[in-house]
Amino acid sequence: IQPHGVLLVLSPKSLSSNDGSDPDWTLVQVSQNTAEYLGKSPESLINQPLSVILSVTARQSLQQCIAGEFEAVNPLKFSLDIAGEPQSFAGVVHQSEDWIVLELEPSQDSGAVNFFDFYGLVKQPVSRIQQTQTLQELCQVAVEEFKQVTGFDRVMVYQFSEDGSGTVFAEKTEPGLTPFLGLHYPATDIPKQSQHLYLLNMLRMIPTVTYEPVPLFPSHLPDKTLLDMSFSGLRSVSPLHIEYLQNMGVQATLTISLVQNNQLWGMVVCHHNSSLKLPYERRAICEFLGQVIALEITTKSSREGAEYRLQLKALQASFVETLSQSPSLIAGLTQTPDQLMALTGSSGAAFCEKGEKVLLGQTPSSEQMIGLISWLGNQFGPDNIYHTAELSRVYPPAADFDHGVSGLVAIAISQPQQLYVVWFRPEVLQTVNWAGNPEKAVKEVDENGGVSLSPRQSFDLWKQTVRQRSLPWKPCELEAASELRSSVVGLVLQRADELSALNSELARSNVELDSFAYIASHDLKEPLRGIHNYSSFLIEDYGDVLGEDGADKLNTLMRLTQRMEDLINSLLHYSRLGRADLVMAPVDLNDIVRGVVDMVKIGKSEAVRLEIVRSLPTTDCARTQVTELFTNLITNGIKYNDKPQKWVEVGYLSPAEALLQGNILPDNLLRASISTEGEQAVSRVGSPIFYVRDNGIGIREKHIETVFRIFKRLHSPTRYGGGTGAGLTIAKKIIERHGGQLWVRSVYGEGSTFYFTLKATTDE
Ligand code: ADP
């Protein structure tokens, strides 16, 4: 034991008098310093009744104490007669295995505290502690109050983390002392075993570090076992711990355990540069304050936890709100990067979709992400979330990641789409800061002579153990990530539902429209034919009566009915096109174009050059419809042409060539091309881009879109031999039914180029 008291081990059975009024025990083991405190040598005490030391009243109160629950501290106050002089002692009794252990410490009356003193001493600290708002504030007040009550030079609150390592969380020192605030130390500094002892024994004191430990006499108990001293307050401490304290120049310490749910949350640690023995009563106050603080810590940390959870929930709600209003998932997820990161308390985030990525905050580089994402794809479990605080351990390349990224949480919104949201955290070391200057701390410690262990060395050691590790992810943070996933999936599904509803609605109205057009045009034809016929009868039979003027009008009527029939036929054709099944097969487009060219040339007296400028590929398409498509485009090219030397060229461009040539691709194809990087992007627009180019009259910019409208003609039917105005509408429909796209580029007065693709060009 430490020499500032005596320890007596008593036999378990009380040697009571018959009526129990005079209880007594046999002394079986005593500390070897009994002569110093009790005036009797250890040898003279062994196997003697306790009555040789304690008066009957003292023994009675001991008996009472033992009869009650006496697992914790049980302070007793004794007045012993030492060589004729009354001497006050504070006694603490506890049971160790079967034995009763009584520890006595002389108590100076000056240090004694009566009830009013006690009240005065605890009132202010307790009310200050209770007024604090945050955990940090609480611990700061705690160290200040402890300093006040104990008079130690330095008071700290250590906080343990789950892995057993610790941090100096709050500190109050005498002016001029180097602060240790913010220093971390590894789990090995306070091993599990000692932590266990701190749990059993809430308060430990070493009044003088350089003490000479006092052995017990005899060394063994009567049953030949060694005394279990876990609960002993006087128990000597490990020489290593003493060395550690000496290296820091500490002469006296006091530690009070802060226990939360039967776990050591942390400790109040007091250091003093010279010997300092706190009287038992003051220690009792410290222990009491320790319990008040521990209680407050429990409420504060659970409140802070709850507040954090609430904060995350609120963030999540507002985030999902923005998300639901944004045009696309990527825009919604990335428009408020800070919120996205705060959602999991991270310092970087990435949105990834099929190899594309948007990086926000502190993340690995774009290059580093490529490998990471493909690795990540295999890590997800059925819950579609993956997290680690030690990335490089599971994915070694992470050791070299930018920003010391060491922790990661990822959610898979869609595995097949490789749609992931990933959050990152840096190495713990980058998040650690300390108020003092630890460099300075090590120097001071060194000047004090010790080198083997010091707070600074502990800090270094701790740094080794946390290399490439991030702060752990809290369950509520993981929950937030997982809930974000559910919300996003929900939104995506909802959108898909809306889209498919819209789609079927559109499909339905399309079919309706087609059949309406079909029925209408079919039924219209009959009366029209009648009008036409009766007009011709009228001319034939009553031409004379009507006169020239009348016949003219009837002829106009017949021309108009003819025109109307043409229109109705076009409409019929158009509506049939929407209803007919396309028979797809590989077709050599050169064949088709050559056929069209031959047909078009018949009956054309004027000089027209028609040419395939680049041999066309064989393509999957519906032969009849594509023939009609080329016919329409090529005839238009010749029709709407006032040049003496007319020409029409047919060819195609690869998507990359189209991109290189500048203003050719329409916006949506352009977007699809640019969204990925460089050349690779272009290859996403996979199919060739065909064109029919002429040197005709061109189309004014304002008519570029109207030419595709049904029955829309830019010229009177008499000019350029125009048709019904359905040709381009039909062409567009044919292409759309192939999944492709038709568009035109034109310079008015110089010529036009109609471009088209024959299949879906992007994943859109
Ligand atoms: P139509 O069957 O009457 O030719 P289209 O639908 O094919 O009708 O074309 C609609 C209008 O677009 C035409 O009236 C014409 O003014 C214009 N147009 C079509 N092709 C060309 C072209 N190659 N050059 C200039 N104008 C054109």
Side-chain angles (χ1 to χ4, degrees):
I1 61 164
Q2 297 183 57
H4 59 272
V6 284
L7 182 143
L8 311 173
V9 184
L10 314 177
S11 63
K13 288 236 170 53
S14 146
L15 317 160
S16 304
S17 57
N18 283 344
D19 58 358
S21 62
D22 185 13
D24 208 350
W25 294 266
T26 310
L27 289 157
V28 293
Q29 197 176 31
V30 298
S31 57
Q32 288 198 4
N33 56 354
T34 47
E36 189 185 325
Y37 288 103
L38 307 174
K40 294 189 168 71
S41 72
E43 293 82 359
S44 71
L45 288 172
I46 290 306
N47 290 326
Q48 295 301 308
L50 185 60
S51 47
V52 300
I53 305 171
L54 292 192
S55 67
V56 62
T57 28
R59 278 177 283 125
Q60 275 166 349
S61 52
L62 185 63
Q63 166 76 326
Q64 259 172 14
C65 190
I66 291 171
E69 296 222 351
F70 72 116
E71 274 168 2
V73 188
N74 289 273
L76 295 164
K77 219 158 165 54
F78 301 121
S79 178
L80 304 189
D81 179 14
I82 311 293
E85 289 278 312
Q87 168 83 54
S88 294
F89 279 88
V92 181
V93 64
H94 73 266
Q95 189 164 0
S96 171
E97 315 259 289
D98 289 336
W99 312 98
I100 290 158
V101 181
L102 176 63
E103 292 173 278
L104 297 175
E105 260 181 67
S107 66
Q108 300 92 353
D109 280 332
S110 60
V113 187
N114 65 32
F115 171 75
F116 292 104
D117 291 344
F118 179 87
Y119 182 69
L121 278 169
V122 297
K123 189 177 182 300
Q124 182 197 315
V126 169
S127 74
R128 273 196 76 199
I129 283 164
Q130 283 174 337
Q131 276 161 22
T132 56
Q133 295 299 322
T134 64
L135 197 58
Q136 184 68 58
E137 210 187 312
L138 161 70
C139 293
Q140 195 52 45
V141 166
V143 289
E144 284 164 16
E145 291 302 329
F146 264 100
K147 187 152 183 335
Q148 184 77 24
V149 172
T150 62
F152 274 71
D153 287 337
R154 180 197 301 277
V155 182
M156 299 172 275
V157 168
Y158 282 13
Q159 185 192 359
F160 295 117
S161 38
E162 268 165 39
D163 63 3
S165 69
T167 319
V168 180
F169 190 66
E171 181 182 40
K172 176 80 183 164
T173 65
E174 278 299 306
L177 286 186
T178 311
F180 293 154
L181 185 66
L183 283 178
H184 289 241
Y185 42 90
T188 45
D189 262 26
I190 302 181
K192 274 267 167 296
Q193 184 188 343
S194 327
Q195 289 206 17
H196 179 65
L197 287 177
Y198 283 121
L199 257 184
L200 298 181
N201 220 322
M202 308 282 277
L203 183 140
R204 316 253 342 130
M205 177 176 71
I206 310 172
T208 309
V209 161
T210 48
Y211 70 88
E212 191 65 44
V214 181
L216 298 185
F217 177 83
S219 60
H220 288 77
L221 289 164
D223 64 4
K224 303 283 179 282
T225 60
L226 286 170
L227 180 67
D228 176 354
M229 296 179 72
S230 298
F231 282 97
S232 158
L234 287 172
R235 183 173 48 81
S236 189
V237 299
S238 113
L240 242 109
H241 183 56
I242 296 290
E243 196 186 341
Y244 188 92
L245 293 172
Q246 281 180 325
N247 287 341
M248 281 194 280
V250 171
Q251 267 301 314
T253 73
L254 178 75
T255 56
I256 299 103
S257 308
L258 300 173
V259 178
Q260 194 188 24
N261 304 328
N262 279 326
Q263 299 251 323
L264 198 58
W265 178 91
M267 296 192 298
V268 177
V269 179
C270 310
H271 286 171
H272 203 66
N273 283 348
S274 53
S275 294
L276 181 59
K277 181 177 178 297
L278 214 58
Y280 179 79
E281 293 82 355
R282 290 235 162 206
R283 270 151 43 209
I285 289 174
C286 289
E287 196 170 333
F288 173 75
L289 285 181
Q291 282 170 347
V292 172
I293 291 166
L295 265 175
E296 280 296 315
I297 284 172
T298 310
T299 30
K300 291 250 154 49
S301 55
S302 69
R303 192 201 308 153
E304 279 181 18
E307 272 168 13
Y308 184 53
R309 275 196 298 280
L310 262 176
Q311 198 186 324
L312 289 188
K313 284 267 182 250
L315 253 177
Q316 207 178 314
S318 88
F319 198 77
V320 171
E321 164 119 33
T322 2
L323 204 59
S324 64
Q325 284 160 7
S326 58
S328 72
L329 191 59
I330 181 156
L333 280 172
T334 55
Q335 69 185 353
T336 49
D338 291 344
Q339 280 199 19
L340 181 66
M341 290 184 247
L343 210 56
T344 56
S346 53
S347 55
F351 176 86
C352 317
E353 183 183 11
K354 283 222 171 128
E356 289 182 48
K357 50 210 169 287
V358 178
L359 304 180
L360 309 162
Q362 300 185 332
T363 64
S365 70
S366 192
E367 215 122 277
Q368 293 164 342
M369 284 296 292
I370 297 172
L372 179 68
I373 291 170
S374 65
W375 170 83
L376 197 58
N378 297 320
Q379 310 307 312
F380 292 105
D383 51 356
N384 288 299
I385 180 163
Y386 176 78
H387 73 97
T388 171
E390 284 177 85
L391 186 56
S392 64
R393 198 189 264 219
V394 278
Y395 180 68
D400 304 317
F401 272 2
D402 289 6
H403 302 292
V405 163
S406 307
L408 163 156
V409 175
I411 52 171
I413 293 170
S414 154
Q415 283 271 31
Q417 291 282 322
Q418 294 165 21
L419 195 67
Y420 311 133
V421 180
V422 193
W423 288 270
F424 301 102
R425 260 185 196 170
E427 205 176 27
V428 144
L429 282 178
Q430 300 192 16
T431 60
V432 167
N433 47 27
W434 50 88
N437 180 351
E439 301 299 337
K440 200 166 155 230
V442 73
K443 282 204 197 99
E444 280 187 7
V445 170
D446 282 351
E447 277 158 19
N448 279 321
V451 276
S452 65
L453 281 164
S454 70
R456 178 62 191 170
Q457 279 167 339
S458 290
F459 189 61
D460 282 341
L461 207 63
W462 171 81
K463 284 205 289 197
Q464 296 304 321
T465 64
V466 295
R467 272 272 122 80
Q468 312 218 328
R469 263 166 51 185
S470 76
L471 284 176
W473 299 97
K474 294 198 175 88
C476 60
E477 293 164 339
L478 295 176
E479 206 174 292
S482 171
E483 279 173 11
L484 178 73
R485 181 186 178 273
S486 315
S487 313
V488 169
V489 169
L491 276 179
V492 169
L493 286 181
Q494 190 187 328
R495 271 203 197 158
D497 274 356
E498 284 166 11
L499 267 184
S500 87
L502 204 66
N503 248 342
S504 50
E505 176 65 17
L506 270 177
R508 200 174 52 81
S509 51
N510 247 347
V511 169
E512 271 175 11
L513 208 69
D514 277 344
S515 53
F516 169 76
Y518 184 80
I519 293 166
S521 41
H522 189 267
D523 293 357
L524 278 176
K525 277 177 85 165
E526 203 190 277
L528 195 63
R529 196 103 302 270
I531 297 173
H532 187 129
N533 290 345
Y534 276 92
S535 303
S536 80
F537 297 157
L538 268 179
I539 288 184
E540 275 172 29
D541 300 348
Y542 301 94
D544 305 344
V545 187
L546 286 170
E548 205 174 309
D549 187 42
D552 254 8
K553 285 189 171 135
L554 267 180
N555 276 326
T556 307
L557 181 68
M558 278 170 65
R559 242 198 358 267
L560 285 175
T561 51
Q562 182 57 50
R563 165 121 188 93
M564 189 149 178
E565 184 163 4
D566 288 350
L567 287 176
I568 288 176
N569 282 339
S570 300
L571 191 62
L572 257 177
H573 182 60
Y574 178 77
S575 68
R576 253 190 233 118
L577 202 67
R579 291 140 57 93
D581 283 335
L582 297 191
V583 186
M584 305 287 277
V587 172
D588 182 350
L589 294 178
N590 299 298
D591 278 357
I592 291 193
V593 175
R594 270 186 233 112
V596 172
V597 166
D598 288 347
M599 199 188 69
V600 168
K601 268 186 170 163
I602 297 171
K604 284 256 152 36
S605 52
E606 33 179 359
V608 177
R609 183 166 61 81
L610 287 164
E611 219 179 315
I612 299 177
V613 289
R614 181 180 189 179
S615 179
L616 304 174
T618 296
T619 306
D620 249 358
C621 61
R623 177 179 269 276
T624 332
Q625 280 79 6
V626 171
T627 309
E628 186 174 356
L629 166 75
F630 275 109
T631 312
N632 281 350
L633 294 179
I634 292 172
T635 41
N636 277 354
I638 303 167
K639 243 186 348 186
Y640 301 106
N641 201 321
D642 54 3
K643 305 280 154 45
Q645 270 293 318
K646 303 176 188 189
W647 55 257
V648 175
E649 290 176 348
V650 181
Y652 77 96
L653 296 170
S654 76
E657 288 163 343
L659 195 68
L660 283 177
Q661 287 195 19
N663 178 34
I664 285 186
L665 295 176
D667 282 354
N668 66 327
L669 296 190
L670 208 56
R671 263 203 311 277
S673 314
I674 301 177
S675 56
T676 41
E677 296 150 29
E679 278 297 294
Q680 242 193 333
V682 184
S683 64
R684 281 187 69 194
V685 185
S687 71
I689 295 156
F690 301 99
Y691 64 83
V692 176
R693 178 171 297 146
D694 61 54
N695 65 336
I697 57 171
I699 302 165
R700 281 199 169 87
E701 188 60 34
K702 60 177 176 185
H703 291 136
I704 278 291
E705 287 305 319
T706 36
V707 294
F708 296 108
R709 270 195 235 148
I710 193 156
F711 303 147
K712 187 72 195 174
R713 291 177 313 179
L714 302 181
H715 313 95
S716 70
T718 47
R719 292 191 67 197
Y720 306 111
T724 58
L728 285 180
T729 318
I730 287 170
K732 192 162 190 156
K733 181 117 183 177
I734 291 171
I735 282 166
E736 278 168 3
R737 290 216 57 197
H738 278 82
Q741 203 173 330
L742 171 69
W743 70 99
V744 60
R745 294 281 182 263
S746 182
V747 178
Y748 188 62
E750 287 181 24
S752 316
T753 311
F754 284 84
Y755 294 96
F756 62 90
T757 53
L758 272 178
K759 60 176 172 231
T761 46
T762 66
D763 307 320
E764 284 179 72

